[in-house]
Amino acid sequence: MGASPVTAQLLAVGELSPGRNTLLLRVPELIATLRPGHALHLVHAEAGGYRLRRVAPVTKIDLLAGSVEVALLPRADGGRDSLAELMAGAQIAVVGPIGQPIEIDSASQQLLIVSDGEGFAWVRLLAASLISAGLSVVLLVEARTAAELPAASLLPEQVEIVVATEDGSLGHQGSAADLMPTYADWADQVIASGERDLLNAVTSAARAASSIDRTTAKGKRRSRQAGAAPWLQLLISHEIGCGSGVCGGCTFSSANGSVRLCREGPAVSAPGLSAGTKRDS
Amino acid sequence: MTAERTSPSSVEARFSLSGQRPLQLERPIVTASGVLGFGAEAAELVDLRDVGLFVTRGVSLAARGGAGLPRMVEVPGGMMHAIGRENPGVDEVIDRHSAAWRATPCAIAISLVAADLGSLGKLIARLESRADLVGADAYELDLTVSSDVLGGSRWESSLEESTRFIDAARDSTELPLIVKVSPDVVTPAQLAGAAADAGADLLSVSGSPVGFLPNRTRAASALAEGEGELSGPLIRPRALAAVANAATSGALPIIGGGGIGSPADALDYFAAGADLISLGSALWADADLPRAVTESARRAAASRGGSRVADLVGTALRRATTR
C-alpha cells in the first residue's frame, strides 16, 4: 500500500504574500524526513466528503517546536482555499514527504535562486537551509507589483534579495530573468521556481550565459566535477494528483525524458543544461 | 413475528457474465482507467483483493506523448485533468507490466486507446499475439478518446462511428469487450443497444465529461490543453442520469461511476441501474474504499432481505416507474 496519511494538527494560518496562505502544522511523525523541495499532500474533504490530495510545498521547519509550515498553492479558479478557513486545532490528514530534495552539490558555495510569487513557496526553505549551512544565496524575485512580493522578513537577512516588478513599482522593471547575466557566472548552481514564462526566460538566459565567456564583477570561475548536481534546476509546481507516480497528472516531459514531479521532482534539470554543461565548456 | 434477516457476510458479491465470453469478478468493484496506473504500481495503492476488475491506464499502439502542464487542477466540486492518454506504446507496456498483471489477484482489463480503426485492429492484434504474457480478461474500448474520423471529437459523439469502433474490436478478439462512455455520450440507452448488437459485453458509464476553466489570475486556460475531463461530485448527478438512461435499455450490464467518494455514493449507482461500481480519483485519498463499498452493498442488500448485491441494482428505477 502507499504511504498512509498521518494526522497533523493545525497550529495557525499565515501568509507568504497577499492571498498566498500557509498552514503551520504539528506533524511530528514526518518532520525529520522533510528537506527543501519536499511537499506534503493534504488529504482534504470538500463539501460532500469528496477528498483530493492537494500538494503543499514545505516552506519552513522548526525541529524544536515540532512544526512544519506548508504553503497552499493558488487555485486556478482564483478562489480562497477552504483549508485557509480552518481554525487552529483542526486536524488534517497529510501524506509525505512528496518528491525528492533539491540536489545541492557539496562543492557549491554560491547559490542563485530565481523565483516569482508563485514559485517562492518552493524555495523559501531552500534559501534558509543554505544560509544555515554557511552558503551564499542571492534571490532574484519578481512579482507584478511591489505589493505582491513576498516579505523580505520571510528569509534570513543573509540572503541578498534583488527585486523585479512588472510595473516598475520596486526594483528592476521587468523579469527577474533579466538580471541573470549579472549573477550567472557568480553562481555555482541556479535554482529557478515559478511559472512557465519565468522558467523559459531563465533557461534562455542560462543558455546565453553558458555560451559567452565573460567574468562579472562578482564572478569567479570554478570547474565542476562530472556527476555534480545540475547547474540549473527548474522547480515545477503541480497542484493535485495521486502522489504515487501512477496517475500521470504531474508528468513533465522534456528533451531529457519524462519526470513524475511527485516522485522524481519537483526539480528537473533544464534541457541541454545538465551537470557540468556550463562550467566545463 | 419478524422476517429472518440475511447476514451481510452471506450476501453474494460476485458478478458473473455468462455465455460465449464469460467473465467472473469476485467483487462488484472496478478501478477506473488511469487512476492506478498500468499495473505494476497499483498494488502499492490499494489492496487489489478488494477489487473485481482492474482497468489499466490507456494503452495505444504507438507511444503517445502527454499533455503539457498543468495537467490537473482542482475545480469546485472536483477536479479536471488532461493527461493526453500518455503511454509508451503497447509493447513497452506489456514488457513493463504484464508480469504484474499475471500476479494480480483480480481480473484485468486493458484499456484501449485508438484514434482510428486501423490502429485499433493492430493494437488488439499486438495484444493477442502476446496473449500468454498479457493474460487479460477483457478489453475496455474507450470511446471518450478523440477520433480522427470525427475530426478530433470523441468517438462517443457519434453513434454510427462508435458502432463501427466496437464492430472492429469484436472482429479482432474473443475476449469480453467493455465499452466506456461518459455522460456526454449521445443517448446512453441507444448506445447501449447499438453496442450490444455490435458485440459488446458490458457498458461502462464511468468516463469523464468535458470541462473548461479559465485561469482567473492569468490570461490562459487552467489546463495547458484547454479542455479537460471532469471528475468528482460535480459530475455525479449527470453520471447517474446516464447510468439510469442506459439501464432502461436492458441491453448490457452496466459499470457505473463518476464522483464516488463514499459507500453511500456507490449505493446510488446500484440504485440507478449499475451492476458494477467504478472507483476513480477517490482512491488516492481513501485506499480502503473498495472494501468499504462492497461491505456497504452487502449490508444494504441484507437489510432488504436480499441475498445478492445484484438485488440492489435498479431499485430506484423500479420505484420511478411504479409511481
Side-chain angles (χ1 to χ4, degrees), chain B residues 125-199:
Chain B
R126 199 77 194 115
L127 287 160
E128 302 269 302
S129 72
R130 302 179 74 182
D132 289 349
L133 274 179
V134 173
D137 298 286
Y139 294 129
E140 179 185 82
L141 303 178
D142 189 351
L143 298 190
T144 68
V145 169
S146 298
S147 157
D148 285 350
V149 75
L150 293 170
S153 295
R154 292 173 163 196
W155 288 104
E156 66 177 357
S157 65
S158 162
L159 186 63
E160 188 181 353
E161 294 303 330
S162 291
T163 306
R164 282 190 189 149
F165 194 84
I166 300 162
D167 266 333
R170 184 72 288 157
D171 289 344
S172 306
T173 181
E174 292 301 314
L175 283 182
L177 293 178
I178 303 164
V179 171
K180 177 179 160 185
V181 297
S182 80
D184 286 345
V185 67
V186 177
T187 324
Q190 269 191 314
L191 187 106
D197 292 343

Side-chain angles (χ1 to χ4, degrees), chain A residues 13-209:
Chain A
V13 176
E15 210 172 53
L16 274 185
S17 58
R20 305 271 183 269
N21 287 110
T22 57
L23 304 180
L24 186 64
L25 303 171
R26 180 169 166 70
V27 56
E29 296 92 334
L30 297 179
I31 191 165
T33 66
L34 299 174
R35 303 283 181 275
H38 279 151
L40 296 180
H41 266 196
L42 310 179
V43 186
H44 178 55
E46 291 291 339
Y50 182 73
R51 292 180 290 174
L52 285 172
R53 288 172 52 145
R54 193 174 299 170
V55 179
V58 176
T59 52
K60 194 175 178 183
I61 297 171
D62 188 334
L63 286 169
L64 287 177
S67 64
V68 175
E69 182 191 80
V70 297
L72 299 176
L73 297 175
R75 294 172 59 102
D77 64 8
R80 183 173 163 88
D81 198 309
S82 56
L83 284 164
E85 308 289 348
L86 296 176
M87 305 295 284
Q91 295 193 326
I92 301 171
V94 302
V95 181
I98 300 294
Q100 298 296 322
I102 296 166
E103 204 178 346
I104 301 299
D105 196 77
S106 58
S108 293
Q109 293 295 317
Q110 300 175 161
L111 272 291
L112 178 62
I113 301 174
V114 190
S115 157
D116 60 15
E118 307 286 337
F120 180 73
W122 291 94
V123 295
R124 180 190 181 195
L125 178 61
L126 173 69
S129 69
L130 292 172
I131 292 296
S132 293
L135 278 61
S136 300
V137 177
V138 172
L139 171 68
L140 310 180
V141 60
E142 69 174 33
R144 205 167 54 83
T145 69
E148 295 173 21
L149 286 163
S153 59
L154 295 169
L155 293 170
E157 60 184 16
Q158 298 94 323
V159 176
E160 181 182 337
I161 301 172
V162 184
V163 168
T165 51
E166 188 181 315
D167 67 353
S169 52
L170 191 65
H172 167 75
Q173 182 167 13
S175 167
D178 300 341
L179 304 167
M180 278 279 292
T182 308
Y183 295 92
D185 277 348
W186 169 84
D188 295 324
Q189 284 185 254
V190 181
I191 312 293
S193 178
E195 296 194 47
R196 193 179 317 174
D197 287 350
L198 176 67
L199 299 183
N200 287 339
V202 169
T203 304
S204 297
R207 284 215 175 87

Side-chain angles (χ1 to χ4, degrees), chain B residues 1-25:
Chain B
M1 198 171 157
T2 56
E4 190 176 330
R5 296 182 72 86
T6 311
S7 162
S9 62
S10 69
V11 170
E12 180 59 74
R14 269 182 293 193
F15 171 86
S16 293
L17 200 62
S18 55
Q20 288 180 306
R21 296 177 291 273
L23 179 67
Q24 180 151 312
L25 310 181

Side-chain angles (χ1 to χ4, degrees), chain A residues 1-3 5 20 43-44 46-54 74-79 81 118 195-196 236-253 258 260-261 263, chain B residues 34-37 41-47 57 66-79 83 86 213-218 222 224 231-233 259-261 265 281-282 284-286:
Chain A
M1 300 306 103
R20 305 271 183 269
V43 186
H44 178 55
E46 291 291 339
Y50 182 73
R51 292 180 290 174
L52 285 172
R53 288 172 52 145
R54 193 174 299 170
R75 294 172 59 102
D77 64 8
D81 198 309
E118 307 286 337
E195 296 194 47
R196 193 179 317 174
I236 301 176
S237 187
H238 56 292
E239 260 191 57
I240 52 172
C242 69
S244 306
V246 302
C247 76
C250 66
T251 304
F252 172 77
S253 301
S258 289
R260 298 169 302 174
L261 297 177
R263 279 285 177 108
Chain B
V35 173
L36 299 179
E41 322 90 334
E44 294 176 22
L45 288 167
V46 300
D47 188 341
R57 210 165 133 176
L69 290 170
R71 290 180 168 191
M72 203 174 268
V73 295
E74 198 168 341
V75 299
M79 57 172 270
I83 311 297
E86 180 179 26
L213 189 72
N215 186 318
R216 291 181 185 168
T217 61
R218 300 166 214 157
S231 305
I260 296 174
D265 297 339
S281 55
W284 300 337
D286 185 0

